[in-house]
Amino acid sequence: MKIEQVSSKLLQPIYNGDQPVSTTKSVPLTVFDKLADDQHIPLLYAYKPPNPSNSLLEQGLRKVLSEYREWAGRFGEDGGQSVILLNDEGMRFIEASADCALDEAVPFTVSTLLKLNPSFNGLLKELALVQLTRFTCGSLVLSFSSNHIVADGLFVSKFMIAWAQACRGLEIHTHPLHDRNIFVPRNPYDIKFDHRSIEIAKRKINENSNAFPYSRDDLIHQIIHFTPEFIAKIKNKASSPSSLSCAGANGGGSRRYSTFECMVAHLWRVITRARGLAESDTTYVRISVNGRRRLRPCVPDEFFGNLVLWAFPETQGKNLFNESLSHTAEVIHDAVTKVNDEYFKSFIDFANKNQHDDNLMPKKVSDMKVPSLWPNLEVQSWLGFPFNEVDFGVGKPSIFMPSFDPFEGEIYLVPSVVGDGSIDVYVTLFQQQLPLFKQICYIID
């Protein structure tokens, strides 16, 4: 499939009213923004025809940028503090065309995904960009890619809904909350957790390529579809009395784990086997925890920025091989539960006390010879993203998915567009691991 770029330009916000808008203001990066990965996260939405014109989508985007100015800004400094300059330099808007029908391109290969996802090569100063790719059948693939330091995934989904509302001529029904000064440290500081060995040390990626018998070319992108019936079996197995009695901590009682906890428990066990890890090997899963609902008082979902810390459930291979599914789900549940209001406030204190420590700001990952999270995993949950509300006037998307993430051990959980409660799992593995993974991924032991 050939995709040709037709145009590329910067879009500035459109403001209502006659009063000029200052382009010298800035917003500071919070302690959570500084902790975010300095990388661009792409989302793909596909729509069947008829579709709105590119000009309508462009005008809607310019209107919504007046409310979400950070996307059209640039990183900078103000008084020695890292900030986002609200200078309205613009968001990149790319128009492209494909030489085939959408159905001919689905399922997308890695090379196709990389063409549909706009590249930031040479555009490192820009904080977000959009690519609209038109297919011969009239279908549209919309890719939105943004720097994670500006905002987390939950807020990006809110922005997409607002863009869709603007294109339909509707008022944005929930406006973004721009106050990034709400995370005030306590006086005196009350740091109760070892954040340096958790948020900092555990986020470093193993760059020892000599540890792997594989190469970058061995990376493969796999999509696994889990039906509602299969998900129900996983949840029932994790919560069954016979399974719980092995876990010990529940005393043989009953605990219902969430869909997310059960899915991650199952995938952790399956991938650990597919990787061939030894019983003595230690492995953990990095799980994003949204602080909006965990902080007290709660922070609205419309908060523009990052508000995420991570849980790191950890165990040895022997526990994943020999203990029950409930045991694994309990390890995950307990780790996530600990990332609570007190934990978030402790990190705010820690980050402010160590605000001049350069190690708190994640560095860009170098070109690793073998990009892998081995022996660990990272799970991105998009199960709560309201993608069905991203309606530009033609209905919900026919496809909603991440682009290719070239790290072995990276997993995305995405609600299926079918709308029946099924889940699509996007996982990157080494192709040598794929046969065993596919053989056992639907086996619940």
Side-chain angles (χ1 to χ4, degrees):
M1 185 182 74
K2 182 179 180 181
I3 294 179
E4 180 180 1
Q5 188 176 117
V6 177
S7 70
S8 176
K9 57 188 173 183
L10 287 173
L11 298 186
Q12 285 76 36
I14 295 177
Y15 297 100
N16 293 323
D18 299 326
Q19 295 300 318
V21 176
S22 171
T23 55
T24 60
K25 293 182 179 180
S26 64
V27 292
L29 296 183
T30 72
V31 295
F32 299 105
D33 298 329
K34 295 176 182 179
L35 194 62
D37 294 319
D38 186 6
Q39 62 178 339
H40 297 91
I41 309 298
L43 300 89
L44 291 177
Y45 300 80
Y47 296 88
K48 296 288 189 177
N51 278 300
S53 66
N54 285 5
S55 60
L56 188 149
L57 293 168
E58 175 183 335
Q59 288 300 106
L61 182 56
R62 293 185 65 191
K63 289 178 183 177
V64 81
L65 282 177
S66 66
E67 293 270 1
Y68 297 78
R69 294 183 65 192
E70 287 86 338
W71 293 131
R74 299 293 184 267
F75 290 136
E77 286 194 358
D78 185 1
Q81 184 179 24
S82 297
V83 300
I84 301 174
L85 304 172
L86 302 181
N87 54 19
D88 289 352
E89 286 195 15
M91 177 191 288
R92 179 67 53 180
F93 186 81
I94 299 171
E95 298 173 278
S97 63
D99 64 351
C100 67
L102 179 61
D103 290 343
E104 297 177 73
V106 176
F108 297 132
T109 64
V110 169
S111 62
T112 298
L113 286 172
L114 295 177
K115 294 174 185 175
L116 292 170
N117 174 41
S119 171
F120 275 83
N121 291 336
L123 308 173
L124 295 180
K125 293 183 178 180
E126 297 175 16
L127 304 186
L129 56 80
V130 168
Q131 178 169 311
L132 307 179
T133 304
R134 300 278 176 174
F135 288 76
T136 57
C137 60
S139 295
L140 168 69
V141 170
L142 185 157
S143 173
F144 177 77
S145 187
S146 60
N147 191 300
H148 202 332
I149 293 177
V150 179
D152 56 28
L154 177 63
F155 184 80
V156 169
S157 69
K158 296 289 184 182
F159 167 76
M160 294 299 296
I161 293 172
W163 180 12
Q165 291 172 340
C167 289
R168 287 151 54 200
L170 304 176
E171 290 292 327
I172 299 174
H173 57 73
T174 51
H175 295 273
L177 172 64
H178 294 276
D179 185 2
R180 296 190 181 218
N181 295 302
I182 61 177
F183 306 116
V184 179
R186 293 170 289 193
N187 186 13
Y189 296 130
D190 188 10
I191 303 169
K192 295 183 177 179
F193 304 92
D194 185 6
H195 297 285
R196 190 172 298 278
S197 65
I198 302 174
E199 278 77 21
I200 310 304
K202 283 195 172 182
R203 296 180 62 228
K204 292 181 179 178
I205 296 175
N206 184 357
E207 296 195 47
N208 180 14
S209 60
N210 295 325
F212 311 109
Y214 311 118
S215 71
R216 176 184 291 269
D217 293 337
D218 291 321
L219 288 175
I220 191 166
H221 195 53
Q222 185 67 32
I223 305 173
I224 304 295
H225 182 76
F226 289 107
T227 65
E229 294 76 18
F230 185 77
I231 295 169
K233 289 180 181 178
I234 293 177
K235 296 182 72 172
N236 289 335
K237 181 68 175 179
S239 303
S240 65
S242 60
S243 178
L244 288 168
S245 63
C246 300
N250 288 323
S254 178
R255 172 183 281 177
R256 301 296 299 182
Y257 296 103
S258 69
T259 296
F260 173 79
E261 291 165 343
C262 294
M263 290 290 293
V264 174
H266 175 69
L267 290 166
W268 194 8
R269 290 155 64 88
V270 167
I271 294 176
T272 299
R273 289 186 183 277
R275 281 171 158 177
L277 265 62
E279 289 194 350
S280 59
D281 287 336
T282 298
T283 172
Y284 62 75
V285 184
R286 179 188 176 200
I287 298 173
S288 298
V289 179
N290 178 18
R292 290 170 175 81
R293 306 290 174 83
R294 295 186 178 240
L295 277 166
R296 296 291 181 268
C298 294
V299 177
D301 285 347
E302 289 71 32
F303 168 70
F304 195 154
N306 287 278
L307 190 38
V308 168
L309 289 178
W310 295 270
F312 292 91
E314 182 175 315
T315 192
Q316 287 185 302
K318 62 182 179 182
N319 296 322
L320 297 175
F321 300 148
N322 302 324
E323 295 286 352
S324 65
L325 180 64
S326 174
H327 175 84
T328 308
E330 185 174 30
V331 170
I332 294 167
H333 175 86
D334 290 347
V336 172
T337 300
K338 291 176 181 177
V339 187
N340 54 18
D341 171 70
E342 184 55 44
Y343 193 91
F344 273 90
K345 288 176 178 174
S346 175
F347 177 78
I348 293 171
D349 291 348
F350 165 79
N352 279 276
K353 183 179 180 180
N354 298 277
Q355 59 183 302
H356 300 298
D357 186 345
D358 291 338
N359 290 324
L360 293 183
M361 190 69 149
K363 306 298 187 294
K364 279 186 176 291
V365 177
S366 61
D367 289 332
M368 297 169 59
K369 188 174 181 181
V370 185
S372 173
L373 298 168
W374 187 296
N376 308 309
L377 299 173
E378 179 167 1
V379 179
Q380 307 285 353
S381 176
W382 292 5
L383 298 180
F385 286 12
F387 70 93
N388 277 336
E389 297 179 39
V390 185
D391 178 1
F392 293 94
V394 296
K396 70 178 185 178
S398 61
I399 297 173
F400 168 63
M401 63 180 290
S403 186
F404 173 61
D405 201 347
F407 275 95
E408 186 270 346
E410 189 81 50
I411 301 169
Y412 288 83
L413 302 183
V414 182
S416 173
V417 293
V418 176
D420 61 353
S422 55
I423 294 174
D424 292 323
V425 178
Y426 296 80
V427 57
T428 302
L429 297 169
F430 292 124
Q431 60 182 350
Q432 292 86 346
Q433 304 162 358
L434 187 59
L436 180 56
F437 173 78
K438 294 176 71 172
Q439 178 183 337
I440 64 176
C441 70
Y442 293 114
I443 298 176
I444 307 174
D445 56 11

